[in-house]
Amino acid sequence: MLLGGCVALPDTRNTSQATPAPHPGSGSRVSIARDPALDALVARQERVYKIAAPLITKNAVLCRAQARPLLGFTAKNQYSYPSELMASARRTLGLDDRLQVMQVLDGSGAMLAGLARGDTLQSIQDISMPQGRHAETEAARLLAPALKNLSEIRLTVLRHGQPVSLQVPLTLACAFAIDIGNAPSLNAYSDGRRIMITRGLLDAVAADADIAAILAREIAHNVLQHARQLQQTATISGIIDSLLPLSRSEEHTSELQSRQYLVCRLLLEK
């Protein structure tokens, strides 16, 4: 489920210290040991999402045929993370087999409707949300036909143990999946439908505006179908697949330059 949501994100400013948490059923507080690797991954995801959100929503008109009404949030469960981080995801993020809202797109219909991070998805358009290892991909498969020609959806979530029903307007956006590549190299890729920026590049570039420029360039590549024109779609797709987090990759083992520059400028100016 593309972009977007909300349990509070771990505080990555000092990942060497334990974070106190209330002990269930008592007034005492216990310490939950942080996992620096998980904290770093979540912080990167949050940063990319925050930077990408205005680019894909405010420039939907420029994405032409690639613009779609989107849910406006992302949801994950424990299996959304590499196997070595699953225990930490359960412990510090409170994830289990159910899909939980992790990011809500700023300014989206989901945000306006009151969807919150930490909400557990129960149903969308009366379709019960799948659970378990393949919940993300199965949910996308089930929802794709159900969301056609709709402007808003019925959403039921579990919040603090109580069901909450919401009417969520869909958000028009550039329908490109944006992933973080598990590689130290400094690079970014696009294959016509997806965008990937490596963790090495993300960590090396401190300014969010510079990351926005890189993402805008990759969006422009996809909009202008450069991968297809250069007959590199299969090659770039293979690179993106190989750099996805382990838990996900294991599941699935000059006119052009001037046009690209123009679209990048338009995306950034928007």
Side-chain angles (χ1 to χ4, degrees), residues 42-90:
V42 172
R44 291 187 190 107
Q45 291 173 337
E46 187 77 357
R47 183 187 180 199
V48 168
Y49 193 75
K50 180 185 72 173
I51 296 170
L55 288 174
I56 66 169
T57 56
K58 295 182 179 180
N59 299 285
V61 65
L62 297 177
C63 287
R64 298 178 288 199
Q66 293 97 327
R68 298 283 189 280
L70 303 180
L71 293 172
F73 64 91
T74 60
K76 298 180 182 297
N77 65 10
Q78 62 178 331
Y79 297 106
S80 302
Y81 294 88
S83 57
E84 64 271 20
L85 298 180
M86 283 176 54
S88 297
R90 291 193 298 269

Side-chain angles (χ1 to χ4, degrees), residues 26-222:
S26 75
S28 62
R29 297 176 73 85
V30 297
S31 294
I32 298 178
R34 309 302 306 186
D35 185 332
L38 178 64
D39 285 352
L41 175 59
V42 172
R44 291 187 190 107
Q45 291 173 337
E46 187 77 357
R47 183 187 180 199
V48 168
Y49 193 75
K50 180 185 72 173
I51 296 170
L55 288 174
I56 66 169
T57 56
K58 295 182 179 180
N59 299 285
V61 65
L62 297 177
C63 287
R64 298 178 288 199
Q66 293 97 327
R68 298 283 189 280
L70 303 180
L71 293 172
F73 64 91
T74 60
K76 298 180 182 297
N77 65 10
Q78 62 178 331
Y79 297 106
S80 302
Y81 294 88
S83 57
E84 64 271 20
L85 298 180
M86 283 176 54
S88 297
R90 291 193 298 269
R91 183 177 66 250
T92 63
L93 299 180
L95 298 178
D96 52 28
D97 282 8
R98 300 169 298 175
L99 289 171
Q100 186 178 115
V101 175
M102 292 298 294
Q103 295 167 307
V104 177
L105 192 64
D106 190 26
S108 67
M111 176 172 284
L112 297 176
L115 189 68
R117 184 174 174 184
D119 287 345
T120 299
L121 296 182
Q122 290 192 306
S123 67
I124 298 178
Q125 288 297 101
D126 300 323
I127 299 174
S128 296
M129 288 296 93
Q131 300 181 18
R133 186 174 297 276
H134 304 290
E136 280 190 81
T137 54
E138 183 65 12
R141 185 188 68 80
L142 290 172
L143 291 175
L147 299 183
K148 286 184 178 180
N149 303 317
L150 295 180
S151 59
E152 65 176 25
I153 57 170
R154 296 184 304 277
L155 179 64
T156 303
V157 300
L158 199 64
R159 182 181 298 172
H160 306 306
Q162 298 297 321
V164 176
S165 297
L166 302 169
Q167 286 292 125
V168 178
L170 298 179
T171 302
L172 186 66
C174 302
F176 300 128
I178 301 177
D179 287 302
I180 299 171
N182 187 28
S185 58
L186 278 63
N187 219 329
Y189 306 93
S190 54
D191 67 357
R193 58 188 179 87
R194 297 180 295 176
I195 293 168
M196 172 171 283
I197 183 169
T198 63
R199 60 176 169 83
L201 180 57
L202 192 61
D203 292 345
V205 179
D208 286 355
D210 292 336
I211 296 295
I214 293 168
L215 290 176
R217 181 197 67 186
E218 299 306 323
I219 291 173
H221 279 315
N222 281 349

